[in-house]
Amino acid sequence: MTEEQSRLSYVWWEKMSPLVRKFVRETVLYGFDEDDLKQECYMQLQKALERYDERLGVPFESYYKITLYGWRSNQNKKSKRRLLEGNEILLEAVDERVDVEKEVEKGLLWEMALGELKKLSEAEQYIIKAYYLEDKKLIDIAKALGVNYKTIEFRKGAALRKLRERLS
């Protein structure tokens, strides 16, 4: 890193300190260590400074904020994946206080919902499965189907209303 880059990163680090403090305060709730988070924020600042393009018309402050919150989102996804991969271990350590009847009821309701889902149109099924089961974003579903985002948003809502009516 050159002296100019070092000076620039220090200037931005000082400017962004309120955002960093807020980010660290919020993220500590997710189980991250405070000092590690501050270091990560600085590393993300370095990356943001390297990647930032003024021609995009976005203020650097916004770009950095998006970078930080995107990093946290990715960390949470990784944590979720680790939990899912270790699911067998979790199943072995099931709390004996679990209400088995409620779990069976949830399972039956889930089966009923899947049965009713098959009665929807192919497009509605695709939207519901992609959004809820595959965690795809509505914008990605819209692109895949070649329609407007608002159309997908409306179709998802209509499909959910149909499912609710049929299940109640």
Side-chain angles (χ1 to χ4, degrees), residues 11 32 55-57 65 70 72 77 87-88 91 102 104-105 109 123 134 141 147 156-157 160-161:
V11 168
F32 292 98
R55 294 173 290 175
L56 295 174
K65 184 176 182 178
R72 182 173 68 195
K77 285 178 186 174
N87 198 18
E88 295 82 30
L91 288 175
K102 280 189 179 181
V104 169
E105 190 176 305
L109 187 59
E134 299 169 14
I141 299 169
V147 296
K156 180 183 78 100
L160 288 176
R161 282 190 292 280

Side-chain angles (χ1 to χ4, degrees), residues 42-145:
Y42 187 75
M43 290 190 312
Q44 292 300 322
L45 176 70
Q46 294 294 325
K47 289 178 186 176
L49 285 169
E50 290 171 9
R51 296 177 184 162
Y52 179 66
D53 186 359
E54 293 176 1
R55 294 173 290 175
L56 295 174
V58 176
F60 179 76
E61 293 88 344
S62 299
Y63 183 77
Y64 179 57
K65 184 176 182 178
I66 290 169
T67 302
L68 281 180
Y69 285 87
W71 174 83
R72 182 173 68 195
S73 176
N74 288 337
Q75 293 302 310
N76 287 335
K77 285 178 186 174
K78 287 177 187 175
S79 295
K80 197 185 282 185
R81 248 186 253 123
R82 281 193 299 270
L83 283 174
L84 291 175
E85 288 169 0
N87 198 18
E88 295 82 30
I89 296 168
L90 291 176
L91 288 175
E92 291 173 8
V94 170
D95 189 351
E96 294 172 5
R97 294 175 287 165
V98 171
D99 187 348
V100 177
E101 288 179 23
K102 280 189 179 181
E103 293 302 313
V104 169
E105 190 176 305
K106 282 181 191 175
L108 291 173
L109 187 59
W110 182 247
E111 286 180 29
M112 287 172 49
L114 288 176
E116 291 300 323
L117 184 63
K118 291 177 183 174
K119 296 177 185 174
L120 297 176
S121 72
E122 278 188 42
E124 290 171 328
Q125 286 182 41
Y126 175 77
I127 293 167
I128 298 298
K129 286 179 181 177
Y131 186 75
Y132 289 103
L133 302 178
E134 299 169 14
D135 288 331
K136 289 186 179 178
K137 296 178 181 176
L138 289 180
I139 191 76
D140 296 332
I141 299 169
K143 286 178 185 174
L145 293 176

